[in-house]
Amino acid sequence: MARHLITSAIPYINGIKHLGNLVGSQLPADLFARYQRGRGHEVLFLCATDEHGTPAELAAAKAGQPVAEYCAEMHEVQAKIAQGFRLSFDHFGRSSSPQNQKLTQHFAGVLADRGLIREVSETQMYSPTDGRYLPDRYIEGTCPNCGFESARGDQCDNCTKQLDPVDLINPHSTISGATDLEMRETKHLYLRQSTMKDELEKWIDTREGWPVLTTSIAKKWLNDGDGLQDRGITRDLDWGVPVKKGDEDWPGMEGKVFYVWFDAPIEYIACAQEWVDAGKGDDWSRWWRTDAGAEDVTYTQFMGKDNVPFHTLSFPATILGSGEPWKLVDYIKSFNYLNYEGGQFSTSRGRGVFMDQALEVLPSDYWRWWLLSHAPESSDAEFTWENFQASVNKDLADVLGNFVSRVTKFCRSKFGEEVPAGGTYGPAEEALIAELTERLAAYQGHMDAIEVRKAAAELRAIWAAGNEYLQSAAPWAAFKEDPDRAAAIVRLSLNLIRLYAVLSAPFIPDTSEVLKEALKLDNLDWPDDLPEALNALAPGAAFTVPENLFRKIADEEREDWQTRFSGTRG
Ligand SMILES: [Zn+2]
């Protein structure tokens, strides 16, 4: 039995994510976790909400709530939607947890002890009225370039010019409207990543089988221009992990917090501690400490391509820099972007389908199947309602749903609700078993390699092979001449349904559960031996005819949804 640690990039707290976010990390991570569990391996699958930073403060202010309260509420909302999509996290944690606070402070202390942190003096805009330093986004003024009156401190939304807050004419605080802003000196901590360049490069060179997309992004950051830069890891904010050196105060750093990008990946570890503290597990260290058993763990991370630099460089810099025996990532699976109907998903304009809306429209398996079978792996992918409708109606309703319906209903009408005895498997059955043996090996190969689209295509082919067999074996015709022959065909077909329930579970878990109940199965254990698996349901085994598994999407519905999701979500 192998041991798999699996993490999905942690979604930011400020709102409900769209389907492009879902397929970029959480959903394929869930597919892999379900598959590895199905194969009988030990899995720890973790995700969390990323809760610190200015955008959380801004979103809370907009909602008229204290930021801690806002984050607690939004965490519950995201957790509920994740359950709706059947994301099978062993724990869904929070980067604002006490565990992460302590661990983040611990890493900072150890890095400082090892000479990897330096203090830097900078000037930053201070608002005496608000009693705080203002992040760039909290400052607005007139753009010096185009005269737009509501330009932000980092960028003008009218002419897109990148700005510094000092460039603005008549700058004011967006919190209080105060105009008496002044530049003040403030101190920050920098992680000396530049001194770790060689160690990081050496480590990346030892990673086997990493996709070129991943290593080339990392190498670019390591070597382009002046090479890897030191990174500020603190901010003048209220909301975040207070800057401390381990358990001790950090002189000169009072009132400051760690930058969200420093503490967020550490939450991958803290989340395992939360999992234990929640009573769901009893030892996190055997997953994360190589001196406590994590040496034989395979650690796989899932993320969108924009997150690759932080996971190949920043987080490993924290871990390697600590000199402590923490588990490092073995494989990074990164994704391109999913576009929406000829443009982009847009959270601000409400364009596209968001996770909560998707579940209002159709059950999660419909979405899981389409998203995974069209995952943006080698290039960007595009969601269109036409494609979604075609894929659901064909793959799910016509191929899988129709097969299950025809076999179970035919059996009920001719033999009753139990697996019929009589007849033996002949050449047609042997040919099908040979084909499926090959296809199963290919399916497993793609799943092991996390080739999501290829795995989906193989699963679809496994469903289709059953349909083709049923069509050509034609038990309804055979029944008139030779009922035993019909019985053998139906017996194999019922066993195929059992096989589909098992193999499809990582993609469409709810449907697999329906089939499991209909066939009264004890488990969905993965088949070691395909011919044996196709004899598992013995003559006399009872079943019930399940409800229609999938409904087809009509043209009028599709057109309604196209209009409804074209923009301006309320
Ligand atoms: Zn401008």
Side-chain angles (χ1 to χ4, degrees), residues 143-148 151 156 158-161:
C143 173
N145 189 47
C146 73
F148 180 59
C156 172
N158 190 46
C159 69
T160 73
K161 190 177 165 62

